[in-house]
Amino acid sequence: MGPTREKLQTVVAYIEQLQKLDVAGIEPLAHVGDAFNRLDDDTPRQGGAMPREQLIAIAPAIFEADGQVFVQMPKVIKPKGDGA
Amino acid sequence: MSEPTSMILPREGGHNVRAIAQDVRLGKRSAEDVTRRALMRLDRANPSLNAAVETFHEKALLHARRIDAMVALGEASGLSLAGVPVVLKDNICLGPSLSQHASVGDGDGASHTNHDHIGYAGRTTCASEMLREYRSPYTATVAQRYICAGAIVIAKANMDEFAMGSSSENSCFGATHNPHDLECVPGGSSGGSAALVASNVVPLALGSDTGGSIRQPASFCGLVGIKPTYGRVSRYGLVAYASSLDQIGPMATNVADAALALEVICGRDKFDATSADRTDTDFSRDLELPVQGLTLGVPAQARQLTRAGAASVFERVLETYRELGARIVDVEMPMLDASVPAYYIVATAEASSNLARFDGIRYGHRATLQEGEDLFDLYCKSRSEGFGKEVQRRILLGTHVLSSGYYDAYYNTALKVRRRILEEFTTVFRGDASRPACHAILMPTTPGPAFKIGEKTSDPLAMYLEDVYTVAVNLAGLPAMSIPAGAVGDKGARLPLGVQVIAPAFHESIMLRIARMLERVGSMP
């Protein structure tokens, strides 16, 4: 962590220079594309979504149950008595 | 025998996009032969360059034969990139087939049927351990548009991990080398794309540009590289780094080829809500118009070049434009000085959010858990193992500038600076009482030529400052391109250096024309 922290501190010190600028009263600009951002109609896409099997096939761990394939997760619920 | 110091293959006759496509369409050359030769060059150059991370020998030839079959049937007349071998930066998704579920954009679906069965099924790694084995289930719109125009993808190109870097050294596959001097970096993050075009392996590539990642390698490798107006090109299928800054663009050996490639990839795409619906997409038409009477602005910062030879290259460019009849005017853009810190705040903030998706659950690298470790450990270990140092640094910086208590001081201030930068550009292009309106702005692309591999890897800030001339354009969403302007260095070790043309939003046409006039003078004996 030593060198990483040191390098990060150099970068943070560098970006601090922005705080010397007088930007009072200026409206922040998060995105330049607002002028042409368009919303699509809320209708189902022709051909449907991407195939479920294809999407699940790229997961790093999968399992089968009841003839269906699912993404495998590690245990989320901890055994009784462990923590709150 | 001493080791070779460069890797630039002899340029074959007709090694440019227009000539190849025309010859293939007319049946003078077969796409298969063109592709075979490109693959041979790739095999010869890549061991020295480390520029390709995946190659498609069989699939490319299969695809080329299909193009030849279309030519034989008279179905290839509309293919503007017929048989042109290309490489794609490895953050552009190339799925197992062209999107069956997705037509490309609006109104250009008719010609797709002949390509429906072309599948490259490659990996999309972003040069990251996180995605080393990732196979995208879908194809990026730009890749689809290239392929539908007849282009043959022969390889995916090396890059800085997740496009974060200016040297193509931050790659899980190792650094890419500059074809002009193998001890130097090709620039980044689209360094692999640049190296494969500059070494004459392919005449055309696609890169992405978030803060200069197309223009800077183009400058370092002696190429034409375009960062289009934000919204000009669909980002669907580009692995996101900073969504409000990212744009995909072409890299080529000459302006006309780059213009043609931009015509192929631009336009509205219903899968990218920020893609613009524009009709001004004929970028080739005005290329040969003179620049006489045009006004070109030069910010004071452009003349602050200190590295050997760089200033005189830029001054010569200004002199050339003056001789061509353009008017060169000095412009004041004080906020440009704040563009690098503002950029690294905005870009890392967006990156920290975009890269949150890589959690080891649904795709990408998943760490092996030890007994007793839980979901939180899985997130931590997967991300620590999957992301390289620079990516981790930017995620940490991004979460820091967005954190409660710092948000206003960093992120919000950067967004205000961003507005001021855009306003300064607008003022220059519009003109005011004291100054005429500028048609475009000229700036160096980079402070100097390519630096040595390893020279800046231990100093992230020095690396960030390489982007001093390029990042403002992304913050403002403007189109910009780098074109070769000259070379610097001693005889025998001369390195190319580019100059940058920046235009108002959606004025790519005049930007390309200004670039073309410099190119034309340079190519004259």
Side-chain angles (χ1 to χ4, degrees), chain A residues 16 27 30 36 38 72 78, chain B residues 268 274 366 374 410 418:
Chain A
E16 299 240 329
E27 187 69 19
F36 51 84
R38 300 193 316 201
Q72 173 96 54
K78 300 201 172 181
Chain B
R268 168 82 181 150
T274 63
R366 181 186 284 199
D374 62 10
Y410 291 118
R418 185 179 192 178

Side-chain angles (χ1 to χ4, degrees), chain A residues 21-39:
Chain A
L21 297 172
D22 180 15
V23 288
I26 298 171
E27 187 69 19
L29 175 67
H31 206 278
V32 292
D34 297 344
F36 51 84
N37 198 358
R38 300 193 316 201
L39 296 178

